[in-house]
């Protein structure tokens, strides 16, 4: 049997159904974990403190920016309910149609989201629309299409990115990668991933119990410190990267003179 390949052909409606099916159930059984518990916090704390106008897209119950003062946009009603209960400003929406005004935010965080949408160019265009010139934009993406597994498909991924592809795509929308960090909490064992997928498919409640009460706390405990490096850096053998980008609007082409 040939290996599974990225599902580039799936449309937004299909991807939304797949993501809702996985994440709505995940967040319904989960508790909110504050941003200070994640290894992203030492890298993002000062950025957040210097940017009073902040947006985080699709955080679920794992926000990486401070709850106080950040606008959160998510599709999951289960996640929105807990974010509201924790005092956060959270609104229903998706990355392709953000319910936000133009040039509203100095710091934008959209982790683990571009690979989930059918039209990632429209998603990046929306991030550019709501960013102020000079804004910091934090993204994370999985790399290397040849590393695609059935688990990517199961969790609603649409693609993995070639390193040169993500650099060029970001540049077309005015984003320059200034720093990156090797990122991600996915287990390296394919057998463990296969076992997890089987339980999520056939024993969903039990799998969610183990994930939220055992594997997630263990994952938090054993997180490795993240370190910024210049540009994209060496991506050989890297499953996922955290990108710190600078947004500068691309100059509009000068219209031809009228005669």
């Amino acid at each position: 049997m040939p290996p599974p390949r990225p599902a580039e052909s799936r449309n937004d409606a299909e991807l939304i159904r797949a993501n809702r099916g996985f994440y709505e159930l995940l967040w319904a059984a989960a508790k909110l974990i504050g941003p200070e518990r994640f290894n992203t916090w030492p890298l993002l704390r000062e950025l957040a403190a210097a940017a009073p106008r902040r947006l985080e897209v699709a955080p679920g119950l794992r926000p990486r920016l401070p709850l106080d003062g950040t606008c959160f946009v998510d599709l999951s009603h289960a996640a929105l309910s807990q974010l509201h209960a924790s005092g956060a400003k959270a609104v229903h929406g998706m990355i392709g149609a953000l319910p936000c005004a133009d040039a509203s935010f100095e710091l934008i965080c959209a982790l683990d989201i571009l690979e989930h949408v059918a039209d990632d160019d429209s998603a990046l265009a929306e991030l550019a629309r709501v960013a102020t010139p000079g804004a910091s934009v934090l993204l994370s993406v999985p790399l290397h299409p040849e590393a695609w597994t059935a688990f990517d498909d199961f969790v609603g991924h649409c693609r993995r990115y070639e390193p040169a592809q993500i650099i060029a795509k970001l540049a077309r929308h005015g984003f320059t990668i200034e720093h990156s960090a090797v990122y991600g909490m996915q287990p390296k064992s394919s057998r463990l991933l296969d076992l997890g997928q089987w339980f999520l498919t056939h024993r969903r409640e039990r799998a969610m119990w183990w994930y939220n009460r055992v594997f997630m706390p263990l994952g938090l405990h054993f997180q490795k410190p993240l370190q910024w490096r210049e540009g994209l850096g060496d991506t050989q053998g890297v499953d996922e990267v955290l990108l710190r980008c600078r947004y500068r609007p691309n100059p509009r082409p000068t219209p031809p003179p009228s005669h």
Side-chain angles (χ1 to χ4, degrees), residues 179-196:
H179 297 88
S180 68
V182 178
Y183 179 67
M185 295 175 68
Q186 178 173 307
K188 295 195 179 295
S189 167
S190 60
R191 288 187 178 182
L192 189 57
L193 288 173
D194 290 342
L195 182 63

Side-chain angles (χ1 to χ4, degrees), residues 219-240:
L220 288 169
H221 181 75
F222 287 107
Q223 289 178 105
K224 294 180 179 179
L226 299 180
Q227 196 165 23
W228 288 128
R229 55 189 189 176
E230 291 293 323
L232 185 56
D234 182 12
T235 60
Q236 186 173 359
V238 174
D239 183 73
E240 188 174 5

Side-chain angles (χ1 to χ4, degrees), residues 102-246:
D102 295 358
S104 297
F105 302 104
E106 303 156 310
L107 176 61
I108 297 173
C109 187
L111 305 188
D112 302 313
I113 179 67
L114 282 184
E115 65 271 21
H116 287 269
V117 297
D119 188 351
D120 54 352
D121 279 304
S122 290
L124 288 169
E126 270 293 271
L127 294 180
R129 180 184 67 80
V130 301
T132 61
S136 291
V137 179
L138 300 156
L139 305 165
S140 69
V141 294
L143 297 176
H144 310 303
E146 66 273 14
W148 184 271
T149 69
F151 195 77
D152 287 286
D153 189 65
F154 183 75
V155 297
H157 289 176
C158 190
R159 69 187 66 79
R160 284 174 170 266
Y161 291 91
E162 291 286 4
Q165 176 195 18
I166 191 62
I167 292 172
K169 187 176 285 284
L170 288 169
R172 286 199 297 272
H173 294 278
F175 300 109
T176 302
I177 300 172
E178 294 187 334
H179 297 88
S180 68
V182 178
Y183 179 67
M185 295 175 68
Q186 178 173 307
K188 295 195 179 295
S189 167
S190 60
R191 288 187 178 182
L192 189 57
L193 288 173
D194 290 342
L195 182 63
Q197 184 176 331
W198 187 92
F199 270 95
L200 285 166
T201 302
H202 301 283
R203 301 284 188 275
R204 177 63 65 94
E205 265 188 52
R206 182 180 290 271
M208 293 301 186
W209 189 95
W210 277 93
Y211 174 79
N212 286 309
R213 290 168 175 77
V214 178
F215 296 121
M216 189 66 198
L218 283 173
L220 288 169
H221 181 75
F222 287 107
Q223 289 178 105
K224 294 180 179 179
L226 299 180
Q227 196 165 23
W228 288 128
R229 55 189 189 176
E230 291 293 323
L232 185 56
D234 182 12
T235 60
Q236 186 173 359
V238 174
D239 183 73
E240 188 174 5
V241 286
L242 173 66
L243 305 173
R244 176 179 168 183
C245 305
R246 182 73 60 186

